[in-house]
Amino acid sequence: MADNSTNTSGAHLTPEDYGITTPAATDGGYSGTANGGNDYGIALPIAPEGGIPAYPGNTGNGTDNDYGISLPIAPEGGIPAYPGNTNGDGCNNCTIWPPITTLPIFPSCPNCNVSQSNAQVRFLNASTNTFPVSISIDNTTYVNNSRFGTISGYDRVSDGFHTVTVRRASGLRSVLLQQTFPFTGGQRYTMVLADAPAGGLLMSQVSGSGCTNMNYNTGCYRVANFSYSGSSYDVMLYSHDAVFRNVGFREVTSYKQAMAGSYQFYVTNSNSFSVIRELPMIVVGTITGGSFSNDPLVSFQTNIAAGNRYTSYLIGNNWSDIGFRVLTVED
């Protein structure tokens, strides 16, 4: 997180500076209030010049976060779709690797000084490298010790062109990627670090704008594929209707309106059949029947609230220890 504080005092404090005093009693009487009460000589602390009293339990702005990664929840009357799960029909000694599913993660500062002179930016690490990285904009560090599957909170960046640099977080701290991006004041961006097709790293800028004119009791939902080069997926409902089709690597779909509610989605490899229709709007309880043309790779549940926008990022792969994951965040 960038450090933009300008209120740090450089004064050297003495014991007298903390403002803790015991008031003297009046002549012939005692100290107290105008109504006859008595504070027994205990006064509230007075902040030193340029500072504030230090209260116990103040731990700053950092919080623990699991980034919305949780175990899958089966839809009513169904089961989570694990790779190779045949629902018990002729499957002996099946090895089932449970997929990792997500619920929305709310941004750390939903109204964090958004203005025409500042944009908001956060960083998602979708690279499968096992070592942590630090990410800076120009000469300011925004993220430190970032690992696969983590996303930072929004932070400010001024309107204009800025250079993003990715380095190893330890060791020689060598530069892994350096690229310049435009940032428009009043806009929000998610910068996604992913594996490049020819090796190394790449970074994509995903804008959080769009889908502002929502109907009553609806939110907006989209999907972004940053798993690996050559991948292409369909995102389906439990009813086997396609919500998004043929989502290729580094592709971010357009937002679709979704009725507020909880949805169970399934990700499959893309189907080449053009007869499969894509829903124009996502509605809870849509039922058309049918079956999956391709076995689901992962299932995940997403709660969509009215008036909010969400993106599900497809990251990782299904042949390494990292696995294939879905990370759903609020934009």
Side-chain angles (χ1 to χ4, degrees):
M1 192 69 66
D3 186 3
N4 297 316
S5 174
T6 59
N7 297 322
T8 303
S9 172
H12 296 283
L13 303 180
T14 66
E16 291 77 14
D17 288 329
Y18 290 95
I20 302 177
T21 60
T22 303
T26 58
D27 292 340
Y30 57 89
S31 63
T33 65
N35 295 326
N38 197 335
D39 62 4
Y40 300 99
I42 300 176
L44 292 176
I46 300 173
E49 184 178 355
I52 59 173
Y55 298 109
N58 187 346
T59 59
N61 296 325
T63 58
D64 293 331
N65 199 328
D66 62 2
Y67 303 99
I69 299 176
S70 59
L71 292 178
I73 301 174
E76 183 177 356
I79 59 174
Y82 301 138
N85 191 342
T86 62
N87 198 24
D89 297 332
C91 179
N92 296 321
N93 300 321
C94 292
T95 300
I96 298 177
W97 297 99
I100 297 178
T101 63
T102 61
L103 293 176
I105 298 173
F106 296 92
S108 59
C109 52
N111 296 299
C112 182
N113 298 323
V114 176
S115 68
Q116 293 305 310
S117 60
N118 291 315
Q120 299 298 311
V121 62
R122 64 184 176 185
F123 292 89
L124 166 61
N125 190 344
S127 169
T128 57
N129 288 317
T130 57
F131 52 81
V133 298
S134 62
I135 305 174
S136 62
I137 297 180
D138 299 331
N139 294 320
T140 302
T141 298
Y142 277 64
V143 180
N144 207 358
N145 291 317
S146 173
R147 293 182 179 274
F148 170 77
T150 61
I151 187 169
S152 68
Y154 281 109
D155 210 337
R156 288 178 297 174
V157 61
S158 61
D159 178 275
F161 286 84
H162 297 279
T163 300
V164 178
T165 303
V166 181
R167 291 183 173 89
R168 281 181 174 267
S170 59
L172 296 178
R173 301 180 184 273
S174 55
V175 174
L176 305 174
L177 176 70
Q178 193 167 65
Q179 189 173 350
T180 300
F181 295 91
F183 294 90
T184 303
Q187 300 295 316
R188 283 182 174 172
Y189 300 95
T190 300
M191 310 299 293
V192 184
L193 182 68
D195 299 326
L201 299 174
L202 60 82
M203 181 166 285
S204 295
Q205 185 182 56
V206 180
S207 173
S209 61
C211 201
T212 56
N213 298 321
M214 304 180 198
N215 292 329
Y216 172 76
N217 200 35
T218 65
C220 288
Y221 180 70
R222 66 180 178 179
V223 169
N225 176 12
F226 286 94
S227 57
Y228 58 91
S229 177
S231 60
S232 181
Y233 304 107
D234 293 339
V235 179
M236 319 281 288
L237 288 172
Y238 183 63
S239 61
H240 310 120
D241 287 299
V243 180
F244 299 103
R245 295 188 60 230
N246 301 318
V247 184
F249 180 58
R250 300 185 72 182
E251 180 181 349
V252 181
T253 70
S254 299
Y255 284 108
K256 285 189 177 181
Q257 287 196 85
M259 295 297 297
S262 182
Y263 293 87
Q264 188 82 13
F265 294 107
Y266 295 82
V267 179
T268 69
N269 287 316
S270 290
N271 194 310
S272 58
F273 295 112
S274 59
V275 295
I276 299 177
R277 70 188 185 100
E278 185 175 306
L279 293 175
M281 181 177 179
I282 310 170
V283 181
V284 176
T286 302
I287 299 177
T288 60
S291 60
F292 293 118
S293 299
N294 293 322
D295 291 335
L297 302 172
V298 68
S299 65
F300 63 100
Q301 184 174 352
T302 297
N303 294 326
I304 296 177
N308 293 338
R309 300 189 298 265
Y310 303 90
T311 302
S312 287
Y313 289 90
L314 312 181
I315 60 178
N317 54 62
N318 51 15
W319 62 80
S320 68
D321 293 337
I322 288 177
F324 181 72
R325 305 187 184 186
V326 181
L327 183 67
T328 302
V329 296
E330 182 183 351
D331 295 323

